[in-house]
Amino acid sequence: AVPGEARIISTAKVQEDSTTGAVLEKFASENKVQFFLISFVDLLGVLRSKLVPASAIKKVADSGPGFAGYATHFRMTPADPDMIAIPDPTSVIQLPWKKEVAWVASDLYVNGQLLKQAPRQVLKEQIKKAADKGYRMKTGVECEFFLIRRDRAFASGIKAAEAYDTTPKPCYRQGSLMKQYDVISKLLEYMNEMGWKPYQADHEDGKCQFEINWEYDDCLATADKHVFFKFMVKTVAELYGLQASFMPKPFRNQTGNGCHCHVSLWTVDKPEERNLFLDTTEEMGLSGLAYQFLAGILLNAKALSVVYNPTVNSYKRLDGKNPSSGSSWAPPSYVSYTGNNRTHMVRIPDKGRFEVRRPDGAANPYLLQAALLASGLSGIEKELDCGPRCDWNAEERGPPEGMKFDALPENLLDALREFERSEYLKETLGTEFIRSYYHIQMEQWKSYSSFISTWELENTLDC
Ligand code: ADP
Ligand code: MG
Ligand code: MG
């Protein structure tokens, strides 16, 4: 659905039955849905909603429930008019674990205008730009998570759900996977039911860390599913008395939670769509267009680091810090790409796609896709060259002598400075978004900086 379409149709009263409200009302009656969660994601990735009874959906969906922007992570004040959430019926999902409720992503308006800094809107803008050039980005995300037990208050500490599992290399261990069979199989069952085509689940490299993979899709659909996946995993974990965490590095000596993203670009027309990244005659199976897109992602990685790695904690996952299993599986802090090698920022695992490995579990699902698409498109537009492929083991050693690579930010503040400095980002992602995101994220940094940590006390009390 085109943003705002439902509103235009409803005010013009052209076709009463095709309004968003009417579509959702029909969905409710066909599926015995009693409530809708009308949802949106703010700049820090927080999922927010209002619960609307199906009996009121026809009216509410077209005029939208209102939200006070200041109460969420947008750069707004208490004096600003309400944000109105207009649901996008193409995103509706009936909750597999609570069938009387359906979740629907929405687009935010203020004073009848789309809110420019809303993450879903930022992505839609890029999708439109791509479509105008004849491209459609398809992506698959790998959202790793830990299952943990929380002792009473958060401050009193967290531990992996299977704290006694002390095996040094827990990845793929059948025993460790099957200990959490109830949670993982339930998630697979629900994903099947929703038609996501899940195809595997495994125990990852951290203690009680898991990953479930489902089939790639158009990037907006992937982003909506990514949001819903986090909601679903957290909910199902709670049903089994556990907590799920996507935090980038919750345990100092364990591998962190990555959120690798696999990318390809397709022609717009369905059903005769073609993967424009595929060239079976090329060594890695990638087309010239794919390399240009990749070059754009590499060139802008520094400025977009704060989108891929948006929290203070994000930077503790990167650069192979402290893994007890031997590998952190997170790339080093320089910009490089490789073939089927899991130690660089970008990996080419197969023909017709590549994998961006820097993003982590805290990445905002919409902004992650928007960042990849915007920078990739610039690579095509400017016909960029991505330079040589780097086939060394980057966990073992740095680049060979004489080869220079762009360094990536190693903390949130440096990332924010790179983000704010980039003229290119202001042009492509819009000044309103850049200003708002910078402001909201800088508040995070300031809040963190004022906190006195155990490390400081342990290391500098006696100074
Ligand atoms: P790995 O662990 O090797 O990085 P996974 O199998 O865990 O890979 O995840 C691969 C992801 O890439 C899945 O979401 C898959 O659907 C997706 N994918 C596969 N082919 C493409 C493609 N052409 N374009 C985008 N994503 C793809
Ligand atoms: Mg994987
Ligand atoms: Mg991967």
Side-chain angles (χ1 to χ4, degrees):
V2 178
E5 192 179 52
R7 302 194 108 205
I8 294 158
I9 294 170
S10 71
T11 34
K13 294 212 181 310
V14 187
Q15 263 183 311
E16 203 71 42
D17 283 339
S18 64
T19 60
T20 299
V23 172
L24 290 179
E25 192 178 54
K26 191 157 171 263
F27 182 88
S29 72
E30 281 173 3
N31 298 287
K32 298 197 173 61
V33 162
Q34 292 173 32
F35 301 99
F36 284 93
L37 273 170
I38 300 197
S39 306
F40 67 89
V41 166
D42 69 21
L43 285 169
L44 288 190
V46 180
L47 177 58
R48 304 188 187 264
S49 307
K50 277 195 178 177
L51 191 65
V52 173
S55 55
I57 195 68
K58 188 148 192 245
K59 197 156 166 265
V60 175
D62 291 332
S63 56
F67 295 82
Y70 181 67
T72 69
H73 297 301
F74 284 114
R75 191 167 134 264
M76 293 172 87
T77 76
D80 281 324
D82 271 11
M83 305 188 300
I84 304 297
I86 302 293
D88 175 351
T90 62
S91 67
V92 71
I93 299 174
Q94 190 170 13
L95 306 193
W97 62 94
K98 204 176 263 301
K99 294 264 164 45
E100 72 265 27
V101 181
W103 177 89
V104 61
S106 60
D107 295 307
L108 295 171
Y109 291 77
V110 173
N111 283 337
Q113 302 290 316
L114 278 159
L115 185 68
K116 289 201 178 81
Q117 71 265 40
R120 200 168 189 266
Q121 182 53 30
V122 174
L123 173 57
K124 279 182 152 186
E125 278 296 314
Q126 297 306 316
I127 291 174
K128 196 165 164 296
K129 273 187 208 164
D132 288 345
K133 299 196 165 85
Y135 306 130
R136 197 153 49 92
M137 185 171 80
K138 293 198 188 196
T139 53
V141 281
E142 302 172 61
C143 317
E144 292 170 336
F145 59 91
F146 279 95
L147 288 178
I148 57 179
R149 288 185 203 282
R150 227 160 105 166
D151 294 343
R152 277 182 242 121
F154 190 69
S156 67
I158 52 167
K159 55 178 187 278
E162 299 297 339
Y164 55 83
D165 185 352
T166 52
T167 49
K169 281 187 178 286
C171 203
Y172 313 129
R173 278 183 71 103
Q174 178 178 292
S176 308
L177 171 64
M178 292 308 281
K179 279 195 182 104
Q180 297 303 333
Y181 172 80
D182 288 350
V183 176
I184 304 300
S185 64
K186 194 48 89 184
L187 290 165
L188 283 167
E189 179 192 320
Y190 289 162
M191 288 158 87
N192 254 329
E193 209 177 293
M194 294 185 292
W196 288 16
K197 304 195 180 120
Y199 61 88
Q200 60 183 12
D202 69 356
H203 190 284
E204 286 286 319
D205 204 47
K207 203 185 277 187
C208 228
Q209 187 190 30
F210 298 90
E211 180 178 307
I212 305 180
N213 303 111
W214 72 92
E215 203 172 278
Y216 66 102
D217 204 340
D218 282 1
C219 60
L220 183 63
T222 290
D224 285 338
K225 287 177 189 174
H226 186 173
V227 174
F228 190 86
F229 181 76
K230 291 179 83 170
F231 166 41
M232 177 173 70
V233 173
K234 289 178 197 177
T235 306
V236 173
E238 276 171 25
L239 294 175
Y240 288 89
L242 298 172
Q243 182 176 352
S245 174
F246 294 84
M247 184 176 172
K249 188 86 171 177
F251 303 104
R252 182 162 182 259
N253 295 313
Q254 307 275 322
T255 306
N257 284 321
C259 184
H260 304 162
C261 188
H262 295 248
V263 183
S264 54
L265 212 57
W266 297 66
T267 50
V268 173
D269 314 314
K270 286 180 178 172
E272 295 90 23
E273 57 179 12
R274 266 183 313 115
N275 181 354
L276 297 166
F277 277 8
L278 184 66
D279 178 354
T280 48
T281 65
E282 197 267 344
E283 187 191 358
M284 305 304 295
L286 289 189
S287 64
L289 193 83
Y291 282 110
Q292 286 179 352
F293 198 89
L294 172 54
I297 288 177
L298 298 177
L299 184 71
N300 293 290
K302 201 196 233 177
L304 285 166
S305 179
V306 66
V307 174
Y308 302 136
N309 310 105
T311 63
V312 168
N313 180 259
S314 292
Y315 295 84
K316 298 176 183 179
R317 159 183 168 258
L318 297 162
D319 241 341
K321 288 189 190 97
N322 306 312
S324 63
S325 67
S327 173
S328 75
W329 306 106
S333 288
Y334 59 86
V335 178
S336 59
Y337 79 99
T338 184
N340 201 349
N341 165 344
R342 295 178 194 259
T343 67
H344 289 268
M345 193 191 109
V346 176
R347 158 179 171 244
I348 305 170
D350 202 359
K351 296 179 175 66
R353 70 172 144 130
F354 55 78
E355 174 193 40
V356 186
R357 297 175 62 83
R358 185 144 162 116
D360 62 48
N364 183 308
Y366 300 105
L367 299 181
L368 165 60
Q369 302 295 330
L372 292 170
L373 185 51
S375 45
L377 287 176
S378 84
I380 295 178
E381 196 181 315
K382 295 177 183 149
E383 298 180 8
L384 296 179
D385 180 349
C386 54
R389 208 174 68 215
C390 306
D391 289 332
W392 59 88
N393 175 353
E395 289 214 351
E396 216 169 71
R397 63 177 178 88
E401 251 190 59
M403 281 181 95
K404 272 238 165 291
F405 294 91
D406 233 4
L408 288 164
E410 293 189 42
N411 61 50
L412 185 63
L413 181 62
D414 283 352
L416 275 165
R417 286 178 174 151
E418 292 297 344
F419 178 76
E420 211 246 347
R421 188 177 297 152
S422 168
E423 284 310 314
Y424 163 75
L425 288 187
K426 283 174 199 138
E427 270 168 46
T428 0
L429 293 172
T431 332
E432 196 49 48
F433 162 67
I434 300 295
R435 276 206 204 119
S436 308
Y437 195 57
Y438 179 77
H439 176 86
I440 292 285
Q441 284 284 27
M442 199 46 112
E443 283 185 346
Q444 291 293 300
W445 176 260
K446 283 183 191 152
S447 156
Y448 167 71
S449 307
S450 69
F451 180 77
I452 295 154
S453 67
T454 320
W455 185 92
E456 284 159 272
L457 293 172
E458 279 175 4
N459 289 276
T460 58
L461 185 68
D462 185 21
C463 56

